[in-house]
């Protein structure tokens, strides 16, 4: 069978799946998916669809600083959405900044999912003192807002690392701080699924025939927990992007030379009351649209994977 034929069969199965019908029946979900896809694609292809690389000092001119949007008095068609205090084209800076925000968001969610799923599987399957220890750590961490935990981890790591390497390692520190602050929801959800699945007959049968504990957790229990994990990951992506924007706004995120959406908003708020409103408004609108769209997708996934909610909608 050719690759094209396999792709066609996969597409046909997707069209016949209940999730596809649920998706196409909701105009809000379609709109959220379209907005998310548009922003992600625009960020990925930023080098090809923007007139300037805002991270390259050679392409910047301070004489172009504070140019208003093209429709305002003094606007310039070279800078459709205006420029910031460094003369960076705001349209270009927003798309490049969205790349960093999305990179941090996806990477931190993957890290949080890896930590949380691993600990949840181990806690639920092993039980006993190990389960109690992991869950007490989770209970303590969940009692604090995620942003405070991320700030604490970020501050500790920056204190350990050499000062001259802070800008170089800022992205990695940010990913680790946000990921380490978001594992608890994954762990609690996977632990609950593991507690249910480990006593079922197919798991007991696997034990009888000598299948190891690691293989049972990965091959039998984990696939049954992936639905809730996918929902948490989608909603967690929006939270991670917002957390990154908050940390960058507070000045502990990515360096100003490679600004994310949060950094652009931080830069813009310094000039908001002096009349250069576009520097903060446009990045803020893009960030809000991205977070709203991802949250709506997460809400749809949560409803789609919940049989009770789906029956309620059907009735």
């Amino acid at each position: 069978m050719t690759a094209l034929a396999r792709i066609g069969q996969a597409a046909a199965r997707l069209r016949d799946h209940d999730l596809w019908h649920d998706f196409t029946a909701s105009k809000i979900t379609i709109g959220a998916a379209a907005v998310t896809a548009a922003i992600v694609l625009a960020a990925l292809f930023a080098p090809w669809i923007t007139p300037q690389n805002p991270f390259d000092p050679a392409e910047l001119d301070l004489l172009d600083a504070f140019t208003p949007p093209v429709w305002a008095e003094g606007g310039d068609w070279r800078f459709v959405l205006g420029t910031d205090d460094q003369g960076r084209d705001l349209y270009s800076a927003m798309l490049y900044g969205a790349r960093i925000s999305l990179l941090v968001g996806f990477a931190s969610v993957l890290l949080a999912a890896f930590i949380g799923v691993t600990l949840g599987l181990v806690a639920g399957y092993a039980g006993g003192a190990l389960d109690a220890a992991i869950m007490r750590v989770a209970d303590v961490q969940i009692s604090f807002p995620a942003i405070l935990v991320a700030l604490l981890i970020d501050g500790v790591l920056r204190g350990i690392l050499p000062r001259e390497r802070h800008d170089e390692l800022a992205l990695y520190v940010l990913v680790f701080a946000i990921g380490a602050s978001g594992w608890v929801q994954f762990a609690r959800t996977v632990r609950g699924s593991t507690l249910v699945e480990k006593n079922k007959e197919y798991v007991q049968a696997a034990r009888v025939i000598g299948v190891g504990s690691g293989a049972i957790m990965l091959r039998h229990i984990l696939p049954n927990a992936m639905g809730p994990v996918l929902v948490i990951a989608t909603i967690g992506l929006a939270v991670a992007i917002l957390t990154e924007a908050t940390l960058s706004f507070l000045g502990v995120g990515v360096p100003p030379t490679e600004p994310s959406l949060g950094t652009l908003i931080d830069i813009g708020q310094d000039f908001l009351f002096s009349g250069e409103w576009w520097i903060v408004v446009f990045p803020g609108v893009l960030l809000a649209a991205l977070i709203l769209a991802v949250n709506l997708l997460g809400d749809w996934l949560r409803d789609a994977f919940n049989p009770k909610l789906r029956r309620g909608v059907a009735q």
Side-chain angles (χ1 to χ4, degrees):
M1 182 182 295
T2 65
L4 188 60
R6 286 196 292 268
I7 293 174
Q9 287 186 353
R13 287 195 297 269
L14 177 62
R15 287 194 301 269
D16 294 334
H17 200 280
D18 289 342
L19 286 179
W20 177 254
H21 292 293
D22 290 342
F23 175 78
T24 54
S26 173
K27 294 181 179 179
I28 294 178
T29 304
I30 294 174
V35 170
T36 302
I39 295 175
V40 171
L41 290 174
L44 287 175
F45 292 100
W48 294 275
I49 62 176
T50 55
Q52 179 191 84
N53 181 355
F55 299 162
D56 184 0
E59 295 190 28
L60 306 182
D61 188 347
L62 285 176
L63 295 177
D64 295 325
F66 301 119
T67 302
V70 68
W71 59 84
E73 183 179 357
D76 189 329
W77 278 103
R78 292 180 300 161
F79 313 112
V80 177
L81 298 182
T83 62
D84 64 5
D85 61 321
Q86 301 295 318
R88 287 183 291 224
D89 173 45
L90 199 57
Y91 164 70
S92 303
M94 286 166 55
L95 294 191
Y96 274 86
R99 297 180 90 190
I100 294 180
S101 295
L102 288 167
L103 174 61
V104 172
F106 278 110
S108 58
V109 166
L110 287 175
L111 177 61
F114 175 77
I115 297 173
V117 168
T118 302
L119 292 179
L121 280 172
V122 171
Y125 193 82
L130 183 58
D131 177 26
I134 293 174
M135 287 301 102
R136 295 301 75 76
V137 173
D139 290 340
V140 171
Q141 181 166 324
I142 206 172
S143 65
F144 296 94
I147 185 65
L148 292 183
V149 177
L151 272 172
L152 175 62
I153 297 173
D154 184 89
V156 170
L157 291 177
R158 287 176 182 269
I160 296 173
L161 296 172
R163 184 175 296 275
E164 62 273 10
R165 300 198 64 191
H166 279 188
D167 286 352
E168 177 186 347
L169 300 174
L171 194 65
Y172 301 100
V173 171
L174 198 58
V175 169
F176 182 80
I178 298 174
S181 68
W183 64 272
V184 175
Q185 294 294 339
F186 290 97
R188 290 164 67 94
T189 301
V190 172
R191 173 183 176 270
S193 298
T194 303
L195 290 174
V196 173
E197 297 295 328
K198 75 174 184 178
N199 294 318
K200 291 187 175 180
E201 293 181 355
Y202 73 94
V203 173
Q204 295 176 2
R207 290 198 195 100
V208 169
I209 63 175
V211 179
S213 297
I216 290 175
M217 287 188 286
L218 293 177
R219 296 178 187 174
H220 301 290
I221 297 178
L222 181 59
N224 290 290
M226 286 310 296
V229 166
L230 180 60
V231 175
I232 296 173
T234 305
I235 297 175
L237 175 61
V239 174
I241 293 172
L242 184 58
T243 303
E244 181 279 323
T246 303
L247 293 176
S248 296
F249 180 82
L250 295 174
V252 293
V254 293
T257 53
E258 297 185 2
S260 67
L261 292 177
T263 310
L264 290 174
I265 295 172
D266 179 39
I267 293 171
Q269 62 95 21
D270 292 333
F271 306 101
L272 180 60
F273 295 106
S274 61
E276 288 80 17
W277 53 269
W278 58 89
I279 304 177
V280 67
V281 168
F282 292 137
V285 169
L286 180 61
L287 177 63
L290 176 59
I291 292 174
L292 177 60
V294 174
N295 268 327
L296 288 173
L297 287 177
D299 289 342
W300 167 75
L301 279 175
R302 180 197 61 199
D303 296 345
F305 280 111
N306 190 325
K308 293 182 180 179
L309 290 177
R310 290 180 64 182
R311 283 198 299 269
V313 171
Q315 293 172 355

